[in-house]
Amino acid sequence: LIVRDCVLFFLIGRMWRQTGVDNPSWVLWMVVANLYFEAQGFFPWMSHSVTLYEMHCLWPWQLWIFAGCVVPLFAFILLAHISAAYNLGLLWIKIGEFGICLGLFLFPVLSSPYFHFHHWFAGWLFGMHCNLDTWWSRATMAYFWGMYVNGIAVYGRDPLLTCSYAHFVAEDQGCPTTFDHPVPLEMETMSTTILDV
């Protein structure tokens, strides 16, 4: 799967047109992405998810200020990509490519209650579309590739459907699950005996 990710990133990201990934500017933005994701553990106020419950009930004020800076920055980068693609006459091609990628990789799993939008997936999905021939687009692509590398290096390339995928693999291998095989009677009596003592 990682090879597939790399090939698609290379093709859709038009990496053959890039100046290369072995230059300091590319490596710098990859390192910045890795430092950002690794630094989250050192700041307790950053250890929260982007869910409605977390945002409404648990986000501290520091995280709101941080989000107030990051969200406009990403909105600016998105608008810059749209504007540049429009000026180059590539806007509809970019929208089509992005729509196809969403249709193939995101929409089929989006409705599952087990879906988790891993940061490796976000970096991979968005990064390959930041492929304009400008320094800021290449920097954005490198940052997103750094997100992808950080995600799979630190946590592994976890499946998007988390528990649903794990259940599928267990059933496919013929492994017993708690849904298929109830707890044996001797196990139930042993656990109640231990609790009664």
Side-chain angles (χ1 to χ4, degrees):
L1 291 175
I2 293 172
V3 172
R4 183 207 68 179
D5 293 348
C6 292
V7 168
L8 287 173
F9 200 93
F10 178 82
L11 293 175
I12 296 170
R14 294 171 177 79
M15 296 294 290
W16 66 89
R17 294 183 185 172
Q18 300 284 338
T19 56
V21 297
D22 57 348
N23 61 61
S25 62
W26 181 273
V27 173
L28 170 73
W29 288 107
M30 281 185 61
V31 169
V32 166
N34 277 278
L35 288 175
Y36 165 72
F37 284 99
E38 292 306 309
Q40 289 179 358
F42 296 107
F43 300 100
W45 55 268
M46 290 183 81
S47 299
H48 292 277
S49 299
V50 183
T51 64
L52 292 177
Y53 169 74
E54 287 255 345
M55 292 169 68
H56 183 71
C57 300
L58 302 175
W59 274 27
W61 63 271
Q62 299 98 324
L63 189 52
W64 281 107
I65 291 173
F66 180 76
C69 296
V70 170
V71 170
L73 174 66
F74 279 109
F76 175 76
I77 291 171
L78 173 65
L79 291 174
H81 275 90
I82 291 171
S83 175
Y86 178 78
N87 291 336
L88 294 169
L90 300 172
L91 183 60
W92 291 110
I93 293 171
K94 299 291 184 190
I95 290 172
E97 287 176 352
F98 192 63
I100 290 170
C101 286
L102 291 177
L104 289 175
F105 304 115
L106 183 64
F107 293 157
V109 296
L110 194 59
S111 63
S112 172
Y114 299 109
F115 172 72
H116 179 74
F117 197 68
H118 293 285
H119 76 279
W120 71 259
F121 182 71
W124 175 77
L125 182 65
F126 298 134
M128 60 185 155
H129 297 286
C130 301
N131 56 15
L132 300 175
D133 192 24
T134 60
W135 71 268
W136 49 267
S137 185
R138 285 190 297 270
T140 306
M141 178 186 265
Y143 182 87
F144 278 126
W145 186 250
M147 274 177 66
Y148 173 80
V149 169
N150 176 270
I152 62 170
V154 176
Y155 303 104
R157 193 185 179 282
D158 290 339
L160 298 177
L161 294 180
T162 61
C163 295
S164 178
Y165 181 75
H167 185 70
F168 165 76
V169 170
E171 282 192 351
D172 189 51
Q173 297 293 322
C175 300
T177 63
T178 56
F179 302 112
D180 298 333
H181 305 285
V183 177
L185 183 59
E186 59 273 0
M187 292 290 284
E188 287 182 11
T189 55
M190 185 171 52
S191 63
T192 53
T193 307
I194 292 172
L195 290 177
D196 290 340
V197 171

